[in-house]
Amino acid sequence: MKIKASCILCLIVLAGLFVFCGCKKRIQTEEKEITPIIVGFSQIGSESAWRTCNTQSMKEAAAVEDIQLVYANAEQKQENQIKAIRSFIVYQVDVIVFVPIVQDGWDNVLREAKEAGIPVLVIDRSIRTSDESLYAGYLGSDHTEEGRKAARFLQRKFSRVQRPLNILEIRGTDGSSAADGRYEGFREIINKDSRFKIIHSESGDFLRSRGKEIVERILSVNGKLQIDGQPIDIIFSHNDSMTLGFLDVLEEHRIRSGKDVTIVSVDAEQEAINALKEKKINCVVECNPKLGPQTMNLVKTVYNKYEIPRVTSVDETVFTEYDNLSAITPRGY
Ligand code: GZL
């Protein structure tokens, strides 16, 4: 028995678990009442400007398509995502969309969704599963390619330098496809060039505060940007939030970011683009957060029982100090 949208609204409000987005509009026709598609959306949290933009894109696209979005913020906890998906199953939403905070641990709850006959879309980050039939398809970036782009910039920038080049890597959330992909793609290229050496790699969990803490701790040893006496020539940071967290710390120690140390970051939020224009960052690999319109198109396709591609990619570029920075067109968030 399908619970009507109005009942879902009551349950959701009662449960206090979710935010019910999108106008509850019934379209009256001569034959019958048409109720909109109801999507259960489990989002990781709000850890970065990228995430905030991603959520906004989803909500706006749902409103444009008259899709009712049941939004659940997991506040960075996988167990909250699993609870939310289970609740979506109870409410019998039409489609489940989720951003898996990490790649593993989803099979059981996705099996429950499959048994309930609810199609699942994975967006932004991907999952590892033993049974590909547990979800309809993935929409998002190629994070491994993003890591390769970061490394290729360094090859270009240091093409004429023959001395050793030491790298500090500040990773995103370990176990997430975003961080693991960037980690692997970066090494696939950089490990082919003996001049480059990753002398330290540490997770900052995509958080601004952690990016700041990591560099503060390194500098607290002797005020110099070095690890065990080895100078750090390059910082590769897996997202702009962590990068922006440490830029001020470098400045406080009179270290000229973008000059004394080369900075490569990922996302391309406006604050990082501004730093690129101020030559405080040397390269920003774009990761596109505006997945809403493509997601809603895929939602309508699976709702109407059509197949979707296993992987739908998104367009994204890379911005570097070699660009005409007055002419670049970041996504402005
Ligand atoms: C990447 C996305 C990452 C961003 C971070 O697709 O999952 O999560 O790079 C965000 O800013 O926190």
Side-chain angles (χ1 to χ4, degrees):
M1 182 269 286
K2 185 150 182 63
I3 304 172
K4 279 203 175 299
S6 47
C7 305
I8 289 174
L9 178 57
C10 305
L11 284 167
I12 290 163
V13 170
L14 281 177
L17 282 176
F18 306 111
V19 175
F20 195 82
C21 308
C23 50
K24 204 172 65 57
K25 196 163 69 180
R26 295 177 185 291
I27 304 148
Q28 201 66 36
T29 67
E30 302 79 61
E31 301 82 45
K32 61 185 172 56
E33 190 178 75
I34 302 171
T35 49
I37 299 172
I38 299 177
V39 168
F41 174 40
S42 168
Q43 176 61 290
I44 289 177
S46 45
E47 74 283 0
S48 60
W50 191 101
R51 186 66 51 205
T52 304
C53 177
N54 177 244
T55 299
Q56 193 55 33
S57 174
M58 291 289 287
K59 289 180 177 176
E60 286 170 359
V64 165
E65 298 293 339
D66 276 337
I67 288 172
Q68 292 182 358
L69 198 72
V70 182
Y71 166 71
N73 178 336
E75 292 169 354
Q76 311 299 324
K77 293 188 175 70
Q78 181 175 25
E79 62 265 29
N80 288 348
Q81 289 199 279
I82 291 171
K83 278 184 204 148
I85 293 170
R86 288 203 163 111
S87 301
F88 296 153
I89 294 169
V90 168
Y91 299 143
Q92 294 182 30
V93 298
D94 296 303
V95 181
I96 291 170
V97 175
F98 82 115
V99 179
I101 187 167
V102 291
Q103 298 169 85
D104 300 317
W106 303 101
D107 279 12
N108 290 338
V109 74
L110 294 183
R111 205 165 287 118
E112 292 165 29
K114 182 179 178 182
E115 283 156 12
I118 301 175
V120 175
L121 272 185
V122 178
I123 69 164
D124 173 26
R125 298 183 188 176
S126 52
I127 64 169
R128 276 193 288 247
T129 175
S130 54
D131 178 358
E132 290 295 316
S133 75
L134 292 180
Y135 67 99
Y138 166 75
L139 161 69
S141 302
D142 179 342
H143 300 113
T144 307
E145 182 57 17
E146 290 170 349
R148 297 189 193 103
K149 287 176 181 175
R152 290 187 198 115
F153 165 77
L154 294 174
Q155 285 183 313
R156 176 178 181 185
K157 179 166 179 71
F158 293 100
S159 58
R160 300 176 191 280
V161 171
Q162 286 315 314
R163 63 178 175 79
L165 293 158
N166 296 327
I167 299 169
L168 162 65
E169 178 187 39
I170 303 180
R171 302 190 305 270
T173 304
D174 285 339
S176 71
S177 64
D180 291 2
R182 289 165 191 170
Y183 178 98
E184 286 152 19
F186 186 69
R187 281 159 178 73
E188 183 187 303
I189 304 286
I190 218 79
N191 287 347
K192 292 176 186 159
D193 187 330
S194 60
R195 295 173 298 159
F196 294 105
K197 185 178 168 203
I198 301 170
I199 59 171
H200 183 69
S201 178
E202 181 172 349
S203 175
D205 220 6
F206 288 129
L207 297 173
R208 190 167 184 141
S209 57
R210 291 283 296 116
K212 182 176 191 302
E213 282 163 21
I214 289 168
V215 173
E216 271 175 345
R217 193 195 68 239
I218 291 171
L219 288 167
S220 68
V221 174
N222 61 10
K224 292 189 171 52
L225 197 59
Q226 53 184 235
I227 303 260
D228 300 334
Q230 301 177 86
I232 294 168
D233 303 293
I234 298 159
I235 301 178
F236 170 43
S237 168
H238 285 193
N239 87 328
D240 295 341
S241 296
M242 298 188 295
T243 302
L244 296 165
F246 67 72
L247 284 190
D248 294 345
V249 178
L250 294 175
E251 216 154 298
E252 285 155 21
H253 287 75
R254 283 189 290 286
I255 296 168
R256 299 172 301 167
S257 64
K259 295 175 188 62
D260 300 334
V261 56
T262 293
I263 310 289
V264 182
S265 189
V266 187
D267 279 348
E269 66 174 87
Q270 194 53 48
E271 209 180 332
I273 294 294
N274 297 345
L276 176 70
K277 292 182 176 179
E278 293 160 9
K279 303 194 181 311
K280 293 179 179 173
I281 294 179
N282 304 86
C283 170
V284 182
V285 177
E286 185 186 43
C287 179
N288 182 355
K290 297 188 176 179
L291 306 181
Q294 284 176 280
T295 302
M296 297 309 150
N297 285 337
L298 292 171
V299 160
K300 289 187 290 182
T301 305
V302 293
Y303 177 76
N304 291 310
K305 310 285 184 227
Y306 294 111
E307 293 255 309
I308 62 169
R310 287 304 298 169
V311 176
T312 304
S313 56
V314 293
D315 70 298
E316 50 196 35
T317 183
V318 54
F319 302 109
T320 82
E321 61 189 17
Y322 302 112
D323 292 333
N324 169 5
L325 295 175
S326 59
I328 60 173
T329 54
R331 296 177 197 273
Y333 61 89

